[in-house]
Amino acid sequence: MNHIKYRPDIDGLRAIAVLSVVINHINSSLLSGGFIGVDIFFVISGFLITSQIVKEISAEKFSIANFYKRRINRIVPALLLVVSVSLILGIFLLSPVDFTALASSSFYSVIGVSNIFFWHEYGNYFTGNRSEAILLHTWSLGVEEQFYVLWPLLLLLLTKLSARFLSLILVFICLLTLAFSEFGANNFASASYYFLPTRFFELALGGLLANSSAILKPKEGWLNFAMVVVGFLLIIVSLFKLSKDVVFPGINALYPCLGTAILIWCGSSQKSLSRKILANKVFIFIGVISYSLYLVHWPVIAYLNYIGVDFQGIKGFLLFAVCVVLAWLSWKYVEVPLRKSGALMTTSSVFLKRFAVPVGALILLFVASIHFHGFPARFSPEVASYEKMAAVKPNELREGCHVPTALYSTDINTKCRLGRVSGDVDGILIGDSFANHFSGMVDVIAKSDGISIVDYTMDSCAPILNYDSNRLASYAEKCKARNKHVYELIAANKYKYVVLAAHWPDDSASGTLIEKSIEQLIHMNTKVVVI
């Protein structure tokens, strides 16, 4: 940001952001809401980039080409380093299927759409299997880069407006996209976590702050002090009170974003308390290397997860120290020198050498990995055989038999038969995605006994009457409605067998509900099988 006066307190905020994320990833029990560090980054990024764009537009020096040249020089070199090292390690450590996934995510990460890729591949950000996705953390870079395709064009379009009127429009955009984010978080939670439309207000809030700072400057004194306290409290409370179980982003994401905006605004005063707290040498150091630290830390953690290394306790502290050293090396020898040399290069040269060529190489690796099935010759044949079995997805083999929560009211599909496929249906398989996973086993066993079982399962819905799944309210209610309907069907059809399978809850309250559900089925004179 050569055109913007350096703000050491913003580096301090970057430090809080990256430390929150890293601590959460190492041990989420220490900082359950540490994932909001990404939201802090979004506000900072929106503020700094908008400040730069608005200043250049006012001076009639803004260029779309130069803007993206700076973005490439800022983002790509360190990202390519992490991607390259991850791929090299993947050759030795990752199974064929997992290496193909890494090659795919590498390509999508560099072109700025990995958020879409990871949503498609993993769904919910907090599900267990994401802990081994080597480049999962690049989803946030995808959100930022997509934002910066639209944002400069929007600012150019509105450039003739006065600063006050532009701020009013940005307020409207922030409120509108916040409302959409809240709606999305409550109705399509997985996609909302990853996608730009539900994150837009966070970056736009930083942009609004940048445009409004020139109009409304903070005053020193008790009011500034009080606002700084509020800003820190909003962030601190979010770090410890939020968790993977809350509705997010939406309103819950507004709290840390608002706290960040307050601290940035108050920090523009030289004597602000926020400057005194944030602009210390340790925070500034972490803030300066924060981008590299963010990039480096997750692949290290994901690879350790992949090979089954525990890093709790003192090992977690050592892991953190290793990540800081690696981040400093990346910042010192890649991030800074290539950013400086890139500033002296022409836009076309930067695009060709630092974007087009690497992307082309990743495309070749992506295609080769798919064509050669992840290069299975690196391992014994048993590995490829196992992965072929593990890759089978029952819900795709029998489409419409297992459904997502949104389709909770769908009726039984008579084609969804396990075991004997002709004649009358003898029983029903109900439960969540675990039940769907076991459907192949049920099919084999039922077939050997000449029994016909209809498959009627749904995502994240254990087959327990009146069970609150601890998910979002809209999801929990759909699960309750589904189970009520299923038990009515069982009573009406007088099935001989009912097979229950799920990721069973283990708390005493749920145990009581499970017992009552099984008793009700037994009273229907059906044979209950529990997996």
Side-chain angles (χ1 to χ4, degrees):
M1 296 300 173
N2 296 327
H3 307 300
I4 303 173
K5 188 176 180 181
Y6 175 63
R7 291 271 304 271
D9 58 310
I10 290 181
D11 268 335
L13 271 173
R14 282 194 178 110
I16 290 177
V18 76
L19 289 173
S20 301
V21 173
V22 175
I23 292 171
N24 176 265
H25 285 165
I26 291 176
N27 188 344
S28 61
S29 64
L30 295 177
L31 212 58
S32 63
F35 54 85
I36 66 150
V38 171
D39 307 271
I40 296 173
F41 273 130
F42 283 160
V43 177
I44 293 172
S45 185
F47 173 76
L48 292 175
I49 294 292
T50 305
S51 297
Q52 184 183 43
I53 293 173
V54 169
K55 191 167 186 176
E56 289 185 355
I57 289 176
S58 299
E60 298 184 350
K61 293 181 179 179
F62 180 73
S63 162
I64 289 286
N66 284 335
F67 173 77
Y68 290 119
K69 171 188 170 181
R70 287 194 297 267
R71 294 302 296 167
I72 292 172
N73 282 327
R74 171 76 174 110
I75 297 296
V76 174
L79 175 60
L80 282 176
L81 172 67
V82 170
V83 166
S84 300
V85 174
S86 297
L87 286 167
I88 291 170
L89 289 173
I91 291 173
F92 299 98
L93 296 175
L94 297 182
S95 70
V97 167
D98 293 325
F99 184 81
T100 300
L102 175 60
S104 304
S105 62
S106 297
F107 165 66
Y108 292 120
S109 297
V110 175
I111 66 171
V113 293
S114 64
N115 56 327
I116 300 171
F117 170 79
F118 285 115
W119 168 75
H120 181 267
E121 292 297 312
Y122 294 93
N124 192 303
Y125 175 80
F126 296 103
T127 54
N129 59 344
R130 61 101 192 184
S131 65
E132 297 176 0
I134 310 301
L135 297 175
L136 177 69
H137 62 321
T138 62
W139 74 267
S140 64
L141 301 184
V143 171
E144 280 203 40
E145 295 316 303
Q146 291 156 29
F147 179 80
Y148 292 124
V149 169
L150 303 173
W151 195 244
L153 300 177
L154 178 63
L155 292 178
L156 278 173
L157 183 66
L158 303 173
T159 187
K160 294 182 180 180
L161 300 175
S162 67
R164 289 181 184 276
F165 193 55
L166 176 56
S167 288
L168 288 175
I169 291 178
L170 295 182
V171 167
F172 174 75
I173 290 173
C174 286
L175 292 175
L176 182 65
T177 52
L178 171 62
F180 180 71
S181 180
E182 178 69 10
F183 171 80
N186 280 284
N187 292 279
F188 40 94
S190 296
S192 295
Y193 195 91
Y194 289 103
F195 284 5
L196 173 63
T198 44
R199 295 284 188 166
F200 199 94
F201 79 93
E202 302 180 31
L203 291 133
L205 179 61
L208 169 63
L209 179 65
N211 187 69
S212 304
S213 293
I215 306 169
L216 190 62
K217 295 184 180 296
K219 295 181 180 180
E220 298 174 0
W222 68 269
L223 182 59
N224 188 290
F225 177 86
M227 291 189 68
V228 168
V229 171
V230 170
F232 275 117
L233 282 176
L234 284 169
I235 292 174
I236 292 169
V237 171
S238 298
L239 286 171
F240 288 96
K241 289 297 184 180
L242 296 182
S243 71
K244 63 183 179 65
D245 298 319
V246 303
V247 176
F248 203 86
I251 295 294
N252 282 323
L254 177 63
Y255 305 133
C257 290
L258 198 56
T260 304
I262 289 171
L263 293 178
I264 293 174
W265 183 70
C266 291
S268 61
S269 171
Q270 292 285 346
K271 297 181 180 180
S272 173
L273 174 65
S274 61
R275 282 217 177 194
K276 294 176 182 178
I277 294 174
L278 295 170
N280 64 77
K281 291 182 179 180
V282 175
F283 271 20
I284 289 174
F285 170 74
I286 297 295
V288 164
I289 67 168
S290 60
Y291 176 57
S292 284
L293 181 55
Y294 181 78
L295 286 179
V296 164
H297 87 282
W298 180 252
V300 175
I301 291 172
Y303 268 119
L304 290 176
N305 285 330
Y306 192 83
I307 61 178
V309 175
D310 173 51
F311 45 83
Q312 300 302 309
I314 189 66
K315 293 179 183 177
F317 179 78
L318 293 174
L319 171 60
F320 173 76
V322 168
C323 289
V324 170
V325 172
L326 293 175
W328 180 81
L329 291 171
S330 169
W331 172 79
K332 176 77 173 178
Y333 296 106
V334 177
E335 198 179 330
V336 172
L338 290 185
R339 198 187 312 171
K340 288 181 178 179
S341 63
L344 303 175
M345 296 166 62
T346 63
T347 301
S348 58
S349 182
V350 167
F351 179 80
L352 179 65
K353 295 179 180 179
R354 296 193 174 178
F355 184 75
V357 171
V359 167
L362 288 171
I363 290 174
L364 291 176
L365 177 63
F366 177 28
V367 172
S369 182
I370 292 175
H371 180 74
F372 293 106
H373 308 291
F375 311 108
R378 296 175 294 130
F379 300 99
S380 66
E382 287 81 6
V383 173
S385 176
Y386 168 76
E387 288 205 319
K388 185 177 180 180
M389 289 187 289
V392 173
K393 298 179 179 179
N395 56 310
E396 293 180 3
L397 289 176
R398 297 186 313 284
E399 188 174 358
C401 303
H402 177 83
V403 297
T405 310
L407 300 180
Y408 74 100
S409 61
T410 54
D411 286 326
I412 290 177
N413 185 338
T414 55
K415 295 180 180 179
C416 296
R417 302 267 290 259
L418 304 172
R420 177 173 45 79
V421 295
S422 60
D424 295 334
V425 173
D426 301 304
I428 186 170
L429 168 66
I430 58 175
D432 57 15
S433 59
F434 280 65
N436 173 61
H437 174 76
F438 293 134
S439 60
M441 178 184 72
V442 174
D443 182 39
V444 171
I445 295 173
K447 191 173 293 181
S448 69
D449 287 341
I451 296 170
S452 181
I453 304 287
V454 67
D455 182 2
Y456 193 50
T457 58
M458 185 177 87
D459 279 343
S460 301
C461 187
I464 309 168
L465 278 173
N466 302 313
Y467 171 61
D468 186 345
S469 61
N470 293 321
R471 300 181 75 207
L472 301 179
S474 60
Y475 287 81
E477 291 305 314
K478 289 172 183 174
C479 179
K480 288 180 180 178
R482 170 76 166 205
N483 282 327
K484 182 176 182 293
H485 176 61
V486 168
Y487 277 68
E488 289 171 353
L489 280 175
I490 294 170
N493 288 297
K494 295 182 170 56
Y495 290 121
K496 296 178 183 177
Y497 303 94
V498 174
V499 184
L500 310 175
H503 180 248
W504 297 104
D506 57 4
D507 59 284
S508 58
S510 297
T512 301
L513 291 176
I514 293 171
E515 186 177 9
K516 288 181 178 179
S517 298
I518 293 174
E519 285 178 352
Q520 182 163 332
L521 291 172
I522 291 172
H523 287 315
M524 296 178 193
N525 294 318
T526 182
K527 183 172 182 179
V528 181
V529 179
V530 180
I531 303 177

